[in-house]
Amino acid sequence: MASSESQLLRPRFGYGGAPVPPFFRRSLRFPFWTSVHTNTHPISKNHLSLRVKMQPEADMMMKPVSDNKIPHVLTVAGSDSGGGAGIQADLKACAARRVYCSTVITAVTAQNTVGVQGVNIVPEDFVAEQLQSVLSDMHVDVVKTGMLPSLNIVKVLCQFLTKFPVRALVVDPVMKSSSGDVLSGSSVLTGFLGELLPMTDIVTPNIKEASVLLGGVPLKSVSDMRTAAKLIHDLGPRNVLVKGGDLPNSLDSVDVFFDGKEFYELCSPRVNTRNSHGTGCTLASCIAAELAKGSSMLSAVKTAKHFIDVALDYSRDLAIGSGVQRPFDHFLKLKNINQSSGRQNMFNPNDLLLYAVTDSTMNRKWGRTIAEAVKAAVEGGATIVQLREKDAETRDFLDASKVCLEICRSYGVPLLINDRLDVALACDADGVHVGQSDMPVRLARSLLGPEKIIGVSCKTPEQAHQAWIDGADYIGCGGVYPTNTKANNRTIGLDGLKEVSQASKLPVVAIGGINLSNARAVMEIGEPKLKGVAVVSSLFDRACILTETRNLLALVS
């Protein structure tokens, strides 16, 4: 891994961290980095080039700012009446990344999927009033800029950033709309070059915007993008991301990231769709959101690019508007609204009511396949399924997971994978469950994105609180009773379960030695956060899984 991935932001922003320990990397059973090589380049023979087939990798883990501090991004941009770009895209992107977003509106536009019909610039004194209101009251971590339609607004923003220092400044140098309409006058360029860029931690121009920043230099290749990134870096920003989505004659979408020392070419398959309006705004907002959560710069960029790739692919066939620049779905939900099968909503705590956890040893004992065991459990009423197959070979486990996923989705039951994030990603499972010694929740969330379910095992209130901070959806609390399915597993009893449930801000599922004889006692501890029981042997170490599941469901219901 290149040394610059651990490069810190400016000291005034207070970031710190360390590389992901090796055992975290080993838990990713397939490589995310497809190739690493050193190239010479006209700019410098010492620059290291990393060409990456994009998969998100949170290569730097940062400590949260505060136990109770919510990551906060302030976006300073224009309003898009069509809802696809600008302030609207920023709000949706930050919400999708689970970050609070406040706004300062610089202009109000009348636009749709056809183009921009009108622009009404907000007077700079009112922009200043908005900035004063937010920055003087709310603890903003990161400021992200979009449409800055006048030189005076640029100057006002720079004054406030000096008065109210923030952790990072992300600048998306919006000059024109995606339909080609001019959104910023030529005088704004003076403000960018003279005042804003020297304060910027990352600037994210597309190839047209990069050309404008450099006085009209044409960019026609990845090599040109690298040259542009270096030249723009010389203008003052600490990091530069030149986006190649509009690069002609390229089968891949290649973005060039330059941190002042090394180049990284971030590569992903190009998505053929008209539904791409607002990708630039969204990408910059995602970067800002990840920085606000504590990610390193390169990690934030990679996570944001992956988010865009997934959203574009999901939204490629959406029909919103009649123009050529249609919006996409930030939440990956719109096209599933009318589907009658499969998961239609994000995580529902009530799914934890009867949580079935498979076991490879029990499957072999009773001569069942994983799929047969899962089918019997969901037919009996299991509300969520976790595949915990510690002894299975990766290829066999992946094939079985795909079959189990089809079964679960036909019943509308979520399917999670225990620990194996690589298998979860490869089969598109609904999420993962990790233990305290497995992959950190923050890293799992960064890799899986906001739409997947993440559960984590917890025995103490402190662990439950950390799970909430790190972005888990639920906690598995136990073992409540002694069990043979997990060696050296300390039990916490009903008192421990109650203590954790009282402290948890997340829904709780009890696990460990739970069966027909004690499930009622577990559910009757009287804690609202306790939503169900997770069971292994009481379902899968029985002659008839279907019957046992029905009996247990009737008891806990």
Side-chain angles (χ1 to χ4, degrees):
M1 194 65 64
S3 62
S4 70
E5 287 194 59
S6 60
Q7 185 179 3
L8 304 182
L9 298 181
R10 291 188 181 121
R12 68 185 177 89
F13 295 136
Y15 276 91
V20 174
F23 76 90
F24 292 163
R25 298 192 188 283
R26 285 198 297 271
S27 70
L28 306 179
R29 303 307 210 285
F30 55 87
F32 288 89
W33 298 80
T34 57
S35 63
V36 179
H37 58 271
T38 301
N39 285 344
T40 59
H41 185 266
I43 295 172
S44 170
K45 294 182 179 180
N46 296 321
H47 286 146
L48 176 65
S49 172
L50 299 182
R51 187 170 182 86
V52 185
K53 271 293 180 182
M54 276 304 298
Q55 293 283 358
E57 178 183 351
D59 35 38
M60 294 283 292
M61 299 304 298
M62 303 295 180
K63 294 181 180 180
V65 177
S66 165
D67 284 352
N68 297 315
K69 172 70 174 64
I70 303 301
H72 183 166
V73 171
L74 166 62
T75 172
V76 183
S79 170
D80 174 3
S81 59
I87 288 287
Q88 287 80 355
D90 298 339
L91 287 167
K92 287 185 281 188
C94 287
R97 301 310 301 167
R98 301 188 177 192
V99 168
Y100 185 81
C101 185
S102 55
T103 65
V104 168
I105 297 177
T106 60
V108 179
T109 70
Q111 62 177 296
N112 51 27
T113 63
V114 177
V116 178
Q117 291 79 47
V119 177
N120 193 339
I121 298 175
V122 175
E124 60 262 26
D125 58 348
F126 193 68
V127 171
E129 193 169 344
Q130 295 178 74
L131 286 165
Q132 178 68 29
S133 293
V134 176
L135 293 172
S136 65
D137 172 58
M138 308 170 82
H139 186 107
V140 174
D141 296 303
V142 178
V143 169
K144 176 265 175 184
T145 72
M147 180 184 175
L148 302 175
S150 74
L151 177 60
N152 285 340
I153 287 178
V154 174
K155 289 180 177 293
V156 165
L157 174 62
C158 292
Q159 291 168 3
F160 272 89
L161 290 175
T162 302
K163 182 179 178 182
F164 297 97
V166 294
R167 291 175 170 270
L169 172 62
V170 179
V171 172
D172 182 22
V174 177
M175 309 288 183
K176 295 182 179 180
S177 70
S178 51
S179 59
D181 298 283
V182 176
L183 297 177
S184 296
S186 57
S187 64
V188 174
L189 186 59
T190 303
F192 269 95
L193 300 179
E195 298 189 49
L196 190 61
L197 289 186
M199 303 176 68
T200 299
D201 290 278
I202 182 169
V203 60
T204 62
N206 59 33
I207 57 175
K208 294 178 181 177
E209 292 160 347
S211 176
V212 171
L213 290 175
L214 296 175
V217 176
L219 307 181
K220 297 181 180 179
S221 66
V222 174
S223 178
D224 291 341
M225 292 168 61
R226 289 163 59 100
T227 302
K230 173 62 171 64
L231 293 174
I232 293 172
H233 184 270
D234 291 342
L235 298 175
R238 188 172 178 84
N239 299 273
V240 180
L241 179 69
V242 179
K243 301 173 293 188
D246 296 328
L247 196 66
N249 304 318
S250 175
L251 296 178
D252 289 333
S253 171
V254 182
D255 299 340
V256 174
F257 176 76
F258 181 59
D259 63 5
K261 293 183 178 180
E262 288 110 22
F263 289 94
Y264 301 82
E265 294 177 11
L266 309 180
C267 181
S268 59
R270 185 178 296 277
V271 179
N272 184 22
T273 177
R274 293 194 294 176
N275 302 325
S276 60
H277 183 50
T279 50
C281 304
T282 299
L283 180 72
S285 293
C286 284
I287 293 172
E290 296 307 308
L291 292 177
K293 290 190 287 187
S295 293
S296 68
M297 185 64 75
L298 179 58
S299 176
V301 169
K302 290 191 293 181
T303 300
K305 181 171 173 62
H306 179 72
F307 179 88
I308 295 293
D309 292 339
V310 171
L312 286 177
D313 184 66
Y314 176 88
S315 308
R316 66 170 72 218
D317 299 321
L318 292 182
I320 301 175
S322 57
V324 297
Q325 287 292 334
R326 297 175 178 176
F328 60 95
D329 180 9
H330 291 72
F331 300 103
L332 283 71
K333 296 298 172 187
L334 288 177
K335 74 179 184 181
N336 283 332
I337 288 176
N338 296 318
Q339 291 184 358
S340 58
S341 64
R343 294 190 69 232
Q344 298 179 19
N345 303 305
M346 296 186 72
F347 173 64
N348 183 349
N350 293 326
D351 289 339
L352 299 175
L353 179 63
L354 182 52
Y355 190 133
V357 183
T358 68
D359 183 273
S360 53
T361 301
M362 296 172 192
N363 289 336
R364 287 195 299 271
K365 173 183 175 180
W366 293 95
R368 304 181 183 112
T369 66
I370 301 174
E372 288 170 341
V374 168
K375 189 172 189 298
V378 295
E379 286 181 347
T383 54
I384 190 169
V385 173
Q386 179 193 138
L387 300 187
R388 189 171 71 186
E389 302 292 328
K390 298 291 187 179
D391 302 327
E393 293 294 329
T394 297
R395 172 51 59 186
D396 295 337
F397 189 21
L398 176 58
D399 291 341
S401 297
K402 291 178 179 178
V403 175
C404 291
L405 188 62
E406 291 183 6
I407 294 170
C408 287
R409 288 192 172 164
S410 69
Y411 284 82
V413 173
L415 178 76
L416 310 185
I417 307 295
N418 178 265
D419 183 25
R420 296 290 300 271
L421 196 85
D422 55 336
V423 174
L425 285 167
C427 74
D428 192 30
D430 295 307
V432 296
H433 185 92
V434 296
Q436 289 294 318
S437 60
D438 296 328
M439 179 178 292
V441 172
R442 279 192 173 215
L443 179 53
R445 176 61 69 198
S446 176
L447 294 169
L448 287 176
E451 68 278 4
K452 299 296 186 179
I453 301 169
I454 298 179
V456 59
S457 300
C458 298
K459 291 180 181 292
T460 67
E462 293 76 18
Q463 290 175 346
H465 185 60
Q466 189 63 46
W468 173 73
I469 292 172
D470 291 343
D473 292 296
Y474 73 90
I475 65 171
C477 185
V480 178
Y481 301 109
T483 175
N484 295 323
T485 62
K486 207 166 188 179
N488 303 317
N489 186 31
R490 178 175 65 88
T491 58
I492 61 173
L494 292 179
D495 289 339
L497 174 64
K498 188 167 186 175
E499 182 184 14
V500 173
S501 298
Q502 287 174 341
S504 178
K505 296 182 180 181
L506 297 172
V508 177
V509 60
I511 189 169
I514 298 172
N515 52 44
L516 283 171
S517 67
N518 57 32
R520 185 181 296 278
V522 171
M523 294 301 294
E524 289 179 348
I525 67 170
E527 290 302 324
K529 288 295 183 181
L530 180 63
K531 299 299 181 182
V533 296
V535 290
V536 188
S537 58
S538 60
L539 294 187
F540 296 107
D541 197 13
R542 299 291 187 272
C544 183
I545 296 174
L546 177 66
T547 299
E548 297 298 331
T549 307
R550 286 174 175 170
N551 291 341
L552 194 54
L553 179 64
L555 185 65
V556 297
S557 296

